[in-house]
Structure formats: C-alpha cells, structure tokens
Amino acid sequence: AGKLNIVSYHPKPIQLVVVPVNGATYPFSTTTLTAELKKIFQPALVSLSVRMDSSYYDPGFDNELDATGTDFGQNYTREMKDIFEAYDNATGLIDSAYYIFLLPRFAKTNVLGNMPRKKHFGFVNHEQLKQTESRFIKTLAHELAHGAFVLHHTFEEHPQLKNNPTQNLLDYSSTGKITHQYQWARMHDPSRAWTMFDDDEEGASKQDIVSICLPDTAKSKLSSSIFYTPKKEKQSIELL
C-alpha cells in the first residue's frame, strides 16, 4: 500500500520594503511587482506584504556599490552598512521588516543582487535589471529568499545542477521562480540552515583565517584550530 505524508504550515507573515536610492526608481508596475512576489511565495504559505518606499537620497553614497560581503560573520561591507544606517537615521526602520535597496549600479556588473542570509537588508543592481521586468522581480524574490528564509542556492546543495540551470527560484536562471517542499520547510524553520561559513556568492563571506573570541573555558577544550565548514572546506581559527 502507498503512503501519503501531509505537512501543514501556519501562514508566515513577511513584510518587505523596497527602497529606491539616489534616483534608481523601480521602472515597472508596483502593483504587478506585489502580485508576482506574493505568487512566488504563496505555495510555501508565506503571507507577503510589499511596500515601495518613496525615493531616498543618500548624499554619502556615490551611486556605485563597490563590493559585496567581505566582513566575516557580519556579511556586509562598510559601504552597505553606511547605506542602511543612513536610511535608518533619516526615516527609521521597522524591526520585523526586510529591506531591499535599489542601488543605481554595482561595480561588479555581473552581480544582480546581494542579501546575506538571516539578515534584514539586501541590495540590487538597478542598472542591470531595469530593462527586464521578470528578471527584476525574480532577483528581488531570490534575494529575499536568502535574507528572510536563509535559503541556499540549489547548485550549492546539489552540485550536479551547477552547469544545469533549473526553474528554481534559488538558481541563477533568468526566469526560474519555483520553490519546492524542502525549501518550504526551511522557510518555516530557517534556524535549521547553516550560515557561519557561507561564501560571497551565497550572500556571505569566506576568509582563510578567521578570528573568533571565545571564553577561556571554551578555548581550553579545543584540541585544534582547524575546522571544516558544512561544505567540507578547511578553515583555520585564530584563538585570541
């Protein structure tokens, strides 16, 4: 006899605020954007609300994001922090909301967006997205999936997919917006995902040498300064 497993979830409320910065306005219908983003996350029982903020001017930002994720354990560059801290000072933040800033351009033109996992602030590259509505929507949803739901790229978890783009939201295909049941489970319990040693492509940074402060009682129990990430990469920990 066959067996059918039924998994139920309570609707998960998520609030997204999209912030146009220094003239990088969203060039398409915000009504369509909201409807499409809701459609992407609805199968996972995510109740998404979307607000397009008024255009924000940051006099300290030169309109080009120089780099992405270089600070271990923080996953934001100083420039990124300056942007969302200045925005907070100017307008205030909603603690539970997620923010994606539309920036005029990135120094790395092949990077469409960046949002570290388990973080509340993301950034997308307006210059590379402004021509195609579907790609713009997919990038916003993709980055939100990293930040709000701690999801990994499909090809990181399934290496055989690296050169075989799929229609999954967490792939790099230009049109993929599908999510699967294993991703739904993580959306409702993001604490199960690992984030500590993620690399830049995964929305966080990786360095060869890492400094971590530990209590003396903890340091005395460590037999080695070499550890391995969940991707089986060697990391050297400097004990301070």
Side-chain angles (χ1 to χ4, degrees), residues 189-207:
D189 184 14
S191 63
R192 296 190 299 173
W194 49 269
T195 59
M196 188 176 182
F197 292 103
D198 295 345
D199 60 23
D200 280 351
E201 287 188 355
E202 284 290 295
S205 63
K206 178 185 68 180
Q207 297 179 349

Side-chain angles (χ1 to χ4, degrees), residues 87-101:
Y87 176 81
D88 183 19
N89 291 334
T91 68
L93 294 170
I94 302 169
D95 288 343
S96 60
Y98 293 86
Y99 291 81
I100 297 183
F101 294 88

Side-chain angles (χ1 to χ4, degrees), residues 75-205:
N75 308 332
Y76 289 121
T77 63
R78 181 65 261 174
E79 185 178 32
M80 291 175 174
K81 294 177 186 177
D82 287 343
I83 292 170
F84 62 71
E85 287 172 359
Y87 176 81
D88 183 19
N89 291 334
T91 68
L93 294 170
I94 302 169
D95 288 343
S96 60
Y98 293 86
Y99 291 81
I100 297 183
F101 294 88
L102 309 186
L103 302 185
R105 60 186 177 273
F106 286 11
K108 292 184 178 180
T109 58
N110 64 327
V111 177
L112 300 182
N114 181 270
M115 189 167 187
R117 272 194 294 274
K118 229 172 187 177
K119 301 290 185 180
H120 280 254
F121 305 104
F123 307 85
V124 297
N125 186 345
H126 175 267
E127 185 174 79
Q128 299 301 318
L129 293 170
K130 63 184 179 181
Q131 301 298 329
T132 310
E133 183 177 22
S134 61
R135 190 64 182 265
F136 214 134
I137 293 171
K138 190 263 171 69
T139 300
L140 288 169
H142 180 105
E143 299 307 330
L144 182 63
H146 283 319
F149 304 117
V150 204
L151 295 185
H152 290 255
H153 291 134
T154 52
F155 51 82
E156 292 290 331
E157 298 187 292
H158 308 284
Q160 69 273 21
L161 299 177
K162 190 169 183 65
N163 297 313
N164 297 283
T166 72
Q167 289 302 300
N168 193 275
L169 176 64
L170 272 296
D171 207 330
Y172 278 158
S173 65
S174 61
T175 57
K177 299 175 184 176
I178 297 170
T179 53
H180 296 296
Q181 194 279 326
Y182 78 93
Q183 293 169 315
W184 304 346
R186 293 178 186 177
M187 290 183 192
H188 287 269
D189 184 14
S191 63
R192 296 190 299 173
W194 49 269
T195 59
M196 188 176 182
F197 292 103
D198 295 345
D199 60 23
D200 280 351
E201 287 188 355
E202 284 290 295
S205 63

